[in-house]
Amino acid sequence: MLGERDPQRRLFSAATQLGPAVVAQLGFYGKLASEGQRIFQDGDFAGAYCEDNGRPSVPPSVLALARLLQHHDGVSDEETVARCRYDLRWKVALDLDLASVEAPFAKSTFQAFRARLTLHLKEGLAFEKSVQVAQEAGLLPKRLRLALDSSPVRGRGAVKDTFNLLSDAIVAILRAVARQREQRAEHMAREAGLARHLESPSIKGSELVDWGDSGAVSAFLGGLIEDSGRAVALAEQAGCATEEVALLRKVIAQDVEPSPEGGVRIRQGVTPERTVSVHDPEMRHGHKSNGKVYSGHKASLAVELTSGVITSVDVTAPADPDGAQVRSLVERTEELTGCPVDCALGDTAYSTRTAIAQAQEARVALLTKMPAPPKGRYGPSAFRVSRGGTRAVCPAGKRSLKVARRAAGELHQWAAPTCGSCPLKSACTRAAARSLLVPPDFHERRRRERYANSEHGRRRLRQRVAAEHGIGRLKNLGAGAARYCGRAKTRAQLLWTAAVANLSLAWAEDADRAA
């Protein structure tokens, strides 16, 4: 049943005892003390609690404020409870008794509150409130301009090689079956001949294998496949662990293949959308802009240009294209703020046809950097192409010899002898002859390219740094690494972190005005 906070400030609370002058010096904590009850009201969480049954809960507004403080300070659940007991700043922010060291809630209550918000789809409430506070502070104009960008988020789950992935998946099945049978997993594993998977944190490190001998490695891998079969049979007999069995089968399918010499071997090459962690099956491999590989998720966000307020946040798989998020980021911004979005700025990742189409559907002008040709090479803009795309002239003034119609547009090709004797060939192509695909939007993309490279276009695109600053604020608050397993929980973490960033920005603006 929903518990409600007493609207009256208590006589012996930390904020009352210290006085408004001291509270005002506590920055974010002091603002939560004065504004917290206005931001979060217990009624906001009514849908997540039973209306007329059970004893009153800890007021959810207090738990929500504690979650904001947790993400502001970057502490664990256990440390959150400890700071409520001993940290003066937290006592002020939560309106707790100055002299008491009694915790306002237990660690399990705090964790149950987080699960309740996830279950009832209320994890975004704090973020919505932060955008409202920014609007009330006058930070957002009536017509918005956005900067769009994405950033990698390292996953929480342990990333392991194929051998340990298989072993972890077997352990997950054993524990699920043990819960179903109400037995100890270790005892059941010994009976099934699978005890070695529970006896060591690394199956690869616990076995003596000559890793330079392909036959020994194949035999070891084959033994793991046999163990997998026994674990699957155990789960089928118990009629449970269907998700765990599906995960194990997926790991086998993506990482193992028959060996030409007989037996099995590690699959050659990387399977697309490969599962990299049993503990967080939604984690994927991704690439940063500098080519470095990471394992986890990808955060996309929209930031208002003039104020730096984060107006929309989402978390997707690393392989999902940035351009596919344009419409959702814009529409979510308009929904939260009630203000129309006039334009959006993005880097080259947002120059795709998908991104442009989504921007048109959302009725937003999208300005982006355009893909540049390799350094010292001629790109499509160096060619003169007729309006209909049927004639093309290369930088050397030679007209294409042959035009072939393709599904993606007109394919122009030049003669090999012509290209072979051309003095510009080294800057044009490494093939025997140059070819150029002219899609239907060829001239529109060249127009975008010219504008992005113009002085006015470059000046406007420099404003896109607002998104980079927004990402920087999130990373300073710990959003560069997931605190929890699963994409939904990682998205919730980003939303709470963005709420802290927005509130800090709005309240810093208030402090500047007061000064």
Side-chain angles (χ1 to χ4, degrees):
M1 186 173 175
L2 180 69
E4 295 186 2
R5 187 178 185 181
D6 187 349
Q8 296 289 334
R9 189 175 295 280
R10 288 174 293 180
L11 178 61
F12 296 104
S13 70
T16 303
Q17 293 294 307
L18 293 176
V22 175
V23 170
Q25 297 177 31
L26 297 181
F28 185 82
Y29 308 93
K31 292 297 289 187
L32 275 187
S34 59
E35 302 291 330
Q37 292 195 40
R38 187 176 66 86
I39 296 173
F40 290 124
Q41 299 178 5
D42 295 314
D44 296 333
F45 304 91
Y49 290 84
C50 180
E51 295 182 1
D52 55 3
N53 189 24
R55 62 182 180 180
S57 66
V58 174
S61 60
V62 174
L63 294 167
L65 290 174
R67 284 205 68 184
L68 278 179
L69 290 169
Q70 179 187 39
H71 287 281
H72 180 271
D73 288 10
V75 297
S76 65
D77 294 346
E78 186 173 358
E79 180 65 16
T80 294
V81 177
R83 294 203 179 193
C84 290
R85 298 177 64 189
Y86 305 119
D87 194 306
L88 177 62
R89 297 169 303 175
W90 283 52
K91 286 178 177 289
V92 169
L94 298 177
D95 194 30
L96 302 178
D97 286 350
L98 179 63
S100 174
V101 293
E102 182 179 352
F105 49 80
K107 175 182 172 182
S108 58
T109 302
F110 189 64
Q111 293 172 334
F113 175 70
R114 183 168 58 241
R116 191 183 294 272
L117 293 187
T118 301
L119 181 63
H120 293 274
L121 305 179
K122 288 186 174 292
E123 287 284 20
L125 182 61
F127 177 68
E128 295 171 10
K129 297 283 188 178
S130 74
V131 175
Q132 292 175 11
V133 170
Q135 277 189 296
E136 293 170 1
L139 296 185
L140 296 180
K142 293 182 178 179
R143 304 191 70 87
L144 306 179
R145 296 179 300 144
L146 302 180
L148 310 179
D149 208 348
S150 66
S151 179
V153 180
R154 297 192 306 276
R156 178 69 174 176
V159 179
K160 300 184 179 181
D161 59 24
T162 299
F163 305 100
N164 284 313
L165 271 182
L166 289 170
S167 182
D168 285 353
I170 291 171
V171 170
I173 292 175
L174 290 174
R175 288 177 174 159
V177 174
R179 286 194 299 269
Q180 174 73 13
R181 292 183 173 179
E182 297 182 352
Q183 295 180 349
R184 287 181 58 84
E186 293 79 5
H187 176 69
M188 191 182 63
R190 282 193 295 272
E191 290 181 346
L194 300 172
R196 62 174 180 160
H197 297 282
L198 288 169
E199 291 173 350
S200 174
S202 170
I203 191 69
K204 186 177 177 181
S206 64
E207 300 286 331
L208 294 176
V209 179
D210 183 358
W211 299 105
D213 183 350
S214 59
V217 174
S218 178
F220 177 54
L221 182 59
L224 292 178
I225 299 300
E226 292 176 4
D227 288 354
S228 299
R230 286 197 290 272
V232 169
L234 201 63
E236 291 175 345
Q237 291 173 6
C240 66
T242 54
E243 293 184 3
E244 289 81 358
V245 168
L247 180 58
L248 174 58
R249 285 174 170 161
K250 182 178 181 180
V251 171
I252 294 174
Q254 72 181 14
D255 283 6
V256 181
E257 65 181 3
S259 173
E261 293 82 19
V264 291
R265 68 177 184 181
I266 302 296
R267 182 178 294 277
Q268 306 300 296
V270 179
T271 304
E273 288 294 294
R274 178 178 180 266
T275 298
V276 299
S277 173
V278 168
H279 305 97
D280 185 355
E282 292 183 310
M283 285 173 53
R284 295 291 184 271
H285 285 313
H287 294 271
K288 298 181 182 179
S289 56
N290 58 9
K292 293 183 179 180
V293 178
Y294 73 96
S295 298
H297 316 279
K298 180 166 65 176
S300 298
L301 69 159
V303 180
E304 203 281 317
L305 290 182
T306 58
S307 62
V309 174
I310 300 170
T311 59
S312 185
V313 177
D314 201 2
V315 176
T316 62
D320 289 354
D322 291 354
Q325 314 305 320
V326 170
R327 183 173 180 178
S328 62
L329 291 174
V330 169
E331 290 182 346
R332 183 59 173 158
T333 294
E334 292 179 335
E335 179 185 343
L336 279 183
T337 62
C339 300
V341 176
D342 283 344
C343 70
L345 307 181
D347 59 14
T348 308
Y350 293 89
S351 67
T352 62
R353 293 178 176 86
T354 299
I356 294 171
Q358 289 201 2
Q360 291 172 345
E361 291 172 2
R363 299 180 181 179
V364 170
L366 179 63
L367 173 62
T368 69
K369 290 184 176 182
M370 297 297 289
K375 189 174 182 179
R377 305 285 292 278
Y378 290 120
S381 60
F383 291 74
R384 300 197 306 274
V385 179
S386 66
R387 180 57 54 184
T390 56
R391 290 181 291 109
V393 178
C394 74
K398 304 296 182 180
R399 184 173 172 177
S400 60
L401 179 66
K402 188 167 82 171
V403 182
R405 186 172 294 277
R406 297 287 186 268
E410 307 289 338
L411 180 64
H412 290 261
Q413 295 176 312
W414 280 260
T418 302
C419 290
S421 59
C422 180
L424 303 181
K425 182 177 184 299
S426 61
C428 191
T429 180
R430 294 178 181 175
R434 176 67 191 244
S435 62
L436 177 69
L437 180 65
V438 180
D441 62 349
F442 180 86
H443 291 288
E444 170 61 17
R445 293 186 70 80
R446 300 291 78 75
R447 183 194 67 78
R448 287 176 169 273
E449 193 174 71
R450 288 192 297 273
Y451 181 74
N453 291 329
S454 69
E455 182 179 352
H456 185 257
R458 291 198 304 270
R459 187 164 58 250
R460 288 187 64 189
L461 281 171
R462 278 198 293 270
Q463 297 175 330
R464 192 183 58 83
V465 73
E468 297 174 2
H469 292 165
I471 290 174
R473 289 196 298 275
L474 293 182
K475 287 191 172 181
N476 287 340
L477 292 167
R483 294 174 62 96
Y484 315 104
C485 291
R487 197 161 293 153
K489 292 181 180 179
T490 301
R491 181 176 182 272
Q493 174 191 344
L494 266 291
L495 287 169
W496 282 90
T497 306
V500 172
N502 284 345
L503 291 174
S504 299
L505 195 66
W507 290 339
E509 190 74 15
D510 286 346
D512 290 343
R513 289 199 198 100

